[in-house]
Amino acid sequence: MEGPIIWWAREHRLHHRYTDTTEDPYNIKKGFLHAHILWMVLKQRPRTRRVDISDLEADPIVMWQSRHFPLLAIVMGWIFPTIICGILFQDWLGGFVYGAILKMILTHQSTFFINSLAHYLGDRPYDDRTTPRDNFFVAVLTLGEGYHNFHHIFPSDYRNGVRWYQYDCTKWAIALWEKVGLAYDLKRVEQSEIERARLQELQKGLDSEMKSLPQAKPEQSLPFVNALEFKRLVEGGRMLIAVEGALHDVGDFIADHPGGLQLIKAFVGKDATNSFNGGIYGHSKVARNILSLTRVAILREQTETTDYEENSKIPRDAMPARYLETR
């Protein structure tokens, strides 16, 4: 009862081509009810865009169904279920109420949820730039059609649920029809492209989360400082150390240094690159992240490099055991 094939396919192609725009027949941005049912019952503004349906117009079965749709809809949607229940179960009224009317209502609402709920709630694992979403509830109602984000990103693929755990019995039925010769030339997107799209979307989400965290100042935005200026800043009370050509102000971190206060103090005003990179201790990625947040300037030239053991300020029992084992 949802219209002939050619009409439904035309609207569906318009929806795919102009998703979320004013040319989208069931544009979710006009509201949930519009996308669900109002687009079919209310008069829409004249269309300014078209889609090619010449392949459907050349199909004799599609055109036959279009010409005889009213009769087919009444016979197969209302009369046939009533007759089946009447003959097999002697329940003509039940066949009409449940097999015809209730079946039609439930089928319609389930189908409409693809245009509304599957554009409103769910995940977007392949592309979040438009509204289509993967919705398990809709997939259950529609025998697998609820993985709508995948469908919009890979519209030529006959599948909707491509993960092993996704419920898509329509896909299984079509695959079975292919085995027995009732379906052919099934389109399958390369798995590598599916994974690429999924990973790109994951990366975009991770990048967005990363940007919400405290960020180190870009090197190009930092001032340049020479060795003499570095020395003067330290003499003026700044707790600065040099690592890999950058100056780091460790004043707020020095008391929390896991290696102890004296260890990090020994490098104030000096180059700690060698020791930081494994000469004394191979610092973790987290330590490097913390260090990057303390970066305040770029050092124009190399300065004095300090070795722990040669610095008399640090007693041997303050040094890491790993360092002492090498001596």
Side-chain angles (χ1 to χ4, degrees):
M1 303 296 287
E2 297 180 11
I5 295 170
I6 195 167
W7 176 82
W8 191 264
R10 183 192 67 209
E11 301 302 296
H12 190 69
R13 290 181 182 183
L14 278 167
H15 169 61
H16 271 265
R17 186 169 182 179
Y18 303 109
T19 303
D20 298 338
T21 71
T22 56
E23 296 296 329
D24 181 354
Y26 22 99
N27 182 5
I28 190 65
K29 293 183 178 180
K30 291 184 178 180
F32 187 91
L33 282 178
H34 170 84
H36 191 73
I37 193 171
L38 293 183
W39 72 275
M40 288 193 297
V41 298
L42 297 180
K43 184 177 180 180
Q44 303 297 313
R45 68 178 184 82
R47 298 276 170 76
T48 60
R49 303 293 177 89
R50 298 290 184 268
V51 289
D52 181 22
I53 55 172
S54 58
D55 58 324
L56 299 176
E57 292 173 333
D59 190 313
I61 296 178
V62 171
M63 298 311 296
W64 178 85
Q65 191 255 7
S66 180
R67 289 192 300 270
H68 302 289
F69 176 74
L71 178 61
L72 289 171
I74 293 172
V75 171
M76 300 306 296
W78 296 68
I79 298 176
F80 185 70
T82 303
I83 292 175
I84 291 297
C85 290
I87 293 175
L88 296 181
F89 307 106
Q90 290 75 52
D91 187 1
W92 297 87
L93 180 61
F96 180 71
V97 172
Y98 297 105
I101 297 177
L102 185 60
K103 176 264 301 178
M104 182 185 69
I105 293 173
L106 293 178
T107 301
H108 280 184
Q109 298 306 312
S110 298
T111 305
F112 298 164
F113 271 138
I114 298 174
N115 300 333
S116 56
L117 192 58
H119 279 262
Y120 193 75
L121 290 176
D123 300 322
R124 290 181 285 183
Y126 302 104
D127 197 337
D128 67 354
R129 293 176 298 175
T130 53
T131 59
R133 288 163 163 81
D134 285 357
N135 187 298
F136 176 73
F137 174 72
V138 177
V140 171
L141 288 179
T142 59
L143 306 180
E145 296 292 312
Y147 301 104
H148 210 47
N149 190 251
F150 178 88
H151 173 62
H152 266 258
I153 306 309
F154 305 107
S156 63
D157 200 307
Y158 78 95
R159 304 166 296 176
N160 276 268
V162 291
R163 316 299 288 184
W164 68 267
Y165 51 82
Q166 291 177 327
Y167 172 76
D168 185 1
C169 58
T170 301
K171 167 191 68 179
W172 302 329
I174 295 173
L176 177 61
W177 295 339
E178 182 188 36
K179 296 292 185 184
V180 299
L182 295 177
Y184 59 92
D185 195 24
L186 302 188
K187 301 295 189 294
R188 298 175 179 86
V189 176
E190 291 289 339
Q191 187 62 31
S192 60
E193 293 308 310
I194 295 173
E195 285 303 299
R196 191 192 313 277
R198 185 182 68 85
L199 293 174
Q200 285 173 336
E201 201 60 31
L202 281 175
Q203 186 63 56
K204 184 163 62 174
L206 292 173
D207 290 344
S208 178
E209 286 189 41
M210 186 67 76
K211 288 179 181 178
S212 69
L213 302 176
Q215 301 293 316
K217 293 180 180 179
E219 289 189 10
Q220 59 268 28
S221 70
L222 298 175
F224 286 94
V225 173
N226 59 36
L228 182 58
E229 291 170 323
F230 178 21
K231 182 179 180 181
R232 287 175 179 171
L233 288 169
V234 171
E235 290 173 349
R238 296 288 297 276
M239 304 293 285
L240 300 175
I241 64 172
V243 177
E244 296 177 347
L247 293 188
H248 300 266
D249 190 335
V250 296
D252 293 334
F253 174 73
I254 194 168
D256 298 321
H257 182 234
L261 186 67
Q262 294 300 322
L263 282 175
I264 196 168
K265 271 189 173 182
F267 289 100
V268 172
K270 301 180 177 66
D271 190 335
T273 300
N274 292 339
S275 296
F276 185 82
N277 286 331
I280 298 302
Y281 180 73
H283 285 78
S284 68
K285 179 169 59 179
V286 173
R288 292 182 177 277
N289 291 339
I290 294 173
L291 182 70
S292 70
L293 297 176
T294 67
R295 188 170 57 205
V296 294
I298 302 299
L299 189 61
R300 285 186 181 275
E301 55 196 70
Q302 288 296 102
T303 186
E304 177 187 355
T305 301
T306 298
D307 182 275
Y308 275 112
E309 195 170 272
E310 293 175 357
N311 194 306
S312 59
K313 294 181 181 179
I314 308 174
R316 286 181 62 84
D317 59 5
M319 298 182 193
R322 175 180 167 186
Y323 175 74
L324 294 174
E325 289 170 0
T326 64
R327 289 296 194 252

